[in-house]
Amino acid sequence: MRVLSSGLVGSVGLLGLLTFGCGDGGGPGPKDPAPLPSPSCAADGGTATVAAPTLAITLKDRFEEGWLGSPAVVDLDGDGTLEIVVPRDDQLIAWHADGQVAWRAAAPGRIWSSPVVVDLTAAPGLEVAIASRDQILAFDATGALLPGFPFTFRDELRALAAGDLDGDGKFELVAVSTTRLEANGQRDVISAVRGDGTLVSGFPPNTTGAAGCDAACYVTGGFDQTLALGDVDYDGIVDVFVPQDNAYMSLHAGTGRAFDAAAIFRDRTKFSGIRWMLDYGLAQQGFANDEAVDEQAHFTNSAPAIADLDGDGKAELVVLGSVQNASQADRLRGVTLFVANHDGTRPAAWVQPPRFPTYLSGLWDYGDNLVAITNQVAIADLDPAHPGLEIVFAGFDGAIHAVDAQAMPLWSTPYTTSATVGTTGVAIADLSGDGSPEIVFATYGSEGDLVVLDAAGNLLHRVPLGGRGAMSVPTIADVDGDGDLDIVVSLKDAVDQTRSVLVFEVPGSSTKCLPWATGRGNLRRDGYVPPIN
């Protein structure tokens, strides 16, 4: 990748974009490196050495700030040239790799979550959908608003994904709101719309009666990208999984039907009535014996996934929750990782969910438009010596963690000791062509870095981003088609209106292993990993 302007060289020198050891940029001190696992992807002629990310492109606009939206790198119009599509506050901006703005579209307010890029219509090219305030908006490959949009639901829509809900071969858009819709004795935070802007039958599911809910469907808002779409019962139809701002989660079929709870859950007929106590017996009972002591999860900022973790041909629901006592008087108890079946039961290895109790920061927003840490999971095969897939996430302890498919913690790598620095999640891709994927994430807050770990959790590179860093998960793609991967970072602040998005090249990387290359895993933003077998 070529450097595009002489001014870029000056910005590199100014920011000191070099590779640092663990002790720089607010990180903890160095540790002895762990052995690298065997490659889990096909090697592509590379080595275990991962080159340092090098700043190659700076994209700029005006003063807009970034929220949680990961960039999309995609050829929208089929002309063979990729566009870099990024939400910046209330603007959706498509850049070319030469720094020119291809088009922009205005939204009614901040665009919280990542843009969805799929084929929504029969028109040539791909479409881009976003959620802004109470609206879903969809645009064609040139940035023109599609007929039938915007679609209005509830303020604020903070999660958006695409999936085929009715099995007709066409994508629908699903959104989750922070504000409940209340009608007919039920509550809803989920709605779904077709590519022509019309409401999907069965949605909103509870208030229309499609869910079949009784009085024990405990629904409240989702405050981050609290949505995953995937076929959890393998009937060929996409299902809707939504953690919420309480100790409950919702699970619906594409028809809107709420999934049933297993009979072991007392007085609970539906999945959305299961209280996610850490103790499995208490979860079945549905209440605490001692609310000051007994613990439950809370899913305010939980961005989940759906995956066949162990290769048994059945999908699991994967979600990271914050931990609190049942009375909610003590909420600083770290995080816990749940894996569940579609009836709320837990696989044998996951009856006692792994717990990461240390608390540094991240439950609460940091202030000045710096949001709380997203309890976001990423899933990939990091270590073939451990059967199945691994789950990677940030805790509230200033560390990145990896857990295998049998609930065994593999490693934890601290990235900060500061209570004013966080990260919202990771991307995963092979950055050296050796078949072993790396973990890439950005930090934000009082300082911000781009960080690269290897598959064993060893720190490889730390690149200062300047300003307050980046809140969104980076996107990894070959931006300019030269065969090397690039890391696209949407900064929190447009510093001096000269830097909105940074593109770093990783020389010697390969495009053949991208298991979780952007926020929510893919451009559908559905958090879904297809079956291993």
Side-chain angles (χ1 to χ4, degrees):
M1 178 180 291
R2 60 191 176 90
V3 174
L4 296 175
S5 71
S6 59
L8 196 59
V9 177
S11 65
V12 173
L14 176 64
L15 293 175
L17 293 175
L18 303 173
T19 302
F20 285 84
C22 294
D24 297 281
K31 64 176 182 178
D32 292 334
L36 192 67
S38 300
S40 56
C41 296
D44 192 25
T47 69
T49 301
V50 177
T54 303
L55 183 62
I57 301 173
T58 297
L59 304 176
K60 62 182 181 179
D61 189 53
R62 297 174 293 190
F63 52 83
E64 306 98 352
E65 61 183 315
W67 290 89
L68 276 293
S70 291
V73 179
V74 61
D75 181 4
L76 290 174
D77 52 12
D79 67 351
T81 301
L82 297 178
E83 283 76 41
I84 306 165
V85 185
V86 188
R88 301 287 302 173
D89 198 13
D90 64 351
Q91 300 288 308
L92 181 66
I93 307 170
W95 280 278
H96 292 306
D98 63 3
Q100 297 300 307
V101 173
W103 55 262
R104 69 170 62 248
R110 65 184 178 186
I111 305 166
W112 184 278
S113 59
S114 303
V116 171
V117 183
V118 292
D119 193 358
L120 282 176
T121 74
L126 299 173
E127 285 75 41
V128 183
I130 57 171
S132 175
R133 301 313 313 187
D134 62 349
Q135 296 182 3
I136 300 173
L137 303 99
F139 305 91
D140 69 14
T142 68
L145 189 67
L146 294 184
F149 289 91
F151 173 86
T152 302
F153 181 48
R154 306 286 286 176
D155 190 18
E156 178 181 27
L157 300 178
R158 293 192 182 180
L160 184 70
D164 182 2
L165 297 183
D166 54 12
D168 67 351
K170 299 178 182 178
F171 282 108
E172 286 78 44
L173 299 170
V174 182
V176 178
S177 173
T178 61
T179 306
R180 300 185 300 262
L181 170 66
E182 301 196 27
N184 302 319
Q186 293 289 337
R187 296 173 170 177
D188 270 311
V189 294
I190 306 167
S191 195
V193 61
R194 299 185 181 90
D196 61 1
T198 59
L199 187 67
V200 175
S201 177
F203 287 83
N206 297 336
T207 53
T208 61
C213 266
D214 55 22
C217 284
Y218 302 121
V219 174
T220 193
F223 281 81
D224 210 334
Q225 298 164 89
T226 52
L227 172 64
L229 305 179
D231 186 2
V232 302
D233 54 0
Y234 287 1
D235 64 354
I237 305 295
V238 166
D239 306 302
V240 181
F241 178 38
V242 178
Q244 299 156 177
D245 184 29
N246 56 14
Y248 300 85
M249 298 185 283
S250 294
L251 183 64
H252 296 271
T255 60
R257 174 185 60 85
F259 274 72
D260 293 334
I264 62 173
F265 296 100
R266 185 184 304 175
D267 300 324
R268 299 292 185 264
T269 63
K270 294 295 183 181
F271 184 97
S272 48
I274 298 170
R275 186 174 179 180
W276 290 86
M277 310 291 293
L278 271 65
D279 181 271
Y280 197 28
L282 294 180
Q284 295 170 52
Q285 175 177 281
F287 58 88
N289 292 329
D290 185 340
E291 291 209 341
V293 175
D294 295 335
E295 294 180 322
Q296 65 183 16
H298 208 83
F299 303 112
T300 307
N301 300 320
S302 297
I306 298 171
D308 178 10
L309 291 176
D310 53 13
D312 67 352
K314 299 178 182 178
E316 287 84 38
L317 306 169
V318 184
V319 63
L320 183 71
S322 63
V323 179
Q324 58 188 20
N325 62 353
S327 71
Q328 301 191 50
D330 181 3
R331 300 191 64 182
L332 305 183
R333 297 190 176 191
V335 299
T336 194
L337 183 63
F338 286 102
V339 169
N341 303 311
H342 59 71
D343 61 358
T345 57
R346 304 176 190 179
W350 294 89
V351 166
Q352 185 62 45
R355 173 80 179 282
F356 303 85
T358 303
Y359 184 85
L360 177 64
S361 74
L363 178 64
W364 311 112
D365 289 347
Y366 293 100
D368 196 19
N369 288 347
L370 293 171
V371 303
I373 288 175
T374 304
N375 295 138
Q376 185 167 169
V377 293
I379 296 177
D381 188 4
L382 299 182
D383 187 351
H386 293 260
L389 302 174
E390 281 73 50
I391 306 164
V392 185
F393 57 90
F396 286 154
D397 53 1
I400 303 296
H401 303 272
V403 176
D404 76 5
Q406 297 301 313
M408 178 185 297
L410 297 181
W411 50 259
S412 296
T413 298
Y415 66 85
T416 188
T417 57
S418 172
T420 59
V421 174
T423 186
T424 56
V426 309
I428 304 173
D430 179 6
L431 298 181
S432 69
D434 67 343
S436 181
E438 280 71 44
I439 293 95
V440 179
F441 60 98
T443 64
Y444 65 96
S446 57
E447 58 189 22
D449 298 329
L450 176 64
V451 183
V452 180
L453 310 178
D454 67 21
N458 299 303
L459 176 64
L460 301 180
H461 302 293
R462 182 187 296 273
V463 180
L465 294 172
R468 297 190 295 170
M471 292 199 304
S472 60
V473 175
T475 293
I476 304 174
D478 182 3
V479 170
D480 63 350
D482 67 352
D484 286 335
L485 287 174
D486 308 297
I487 303 171
V488 186
V489 179
S490 178
L491 298 172
K492 173 58 185 170
D493 301 311
V495 180
D496 299 325
Q497 301 182 30
T498 61
R499 302 186 311 124
S500 299
V501 178
L502 304 180
V503 181
F504 296 86
E505 183 183 20
V506 185
S509 53
S510 168
T511 61
K512 293 187 177 180
C513 182
L514 296 161
W516 195 278
T518 187
R520 311 301 298 122
N522 53 61
L523 297 186
R524 299 183 305 274
R525 312 298 183 180
D526 60 5
Y528 180 60
V529 180
I532 298 172
N533 295 332

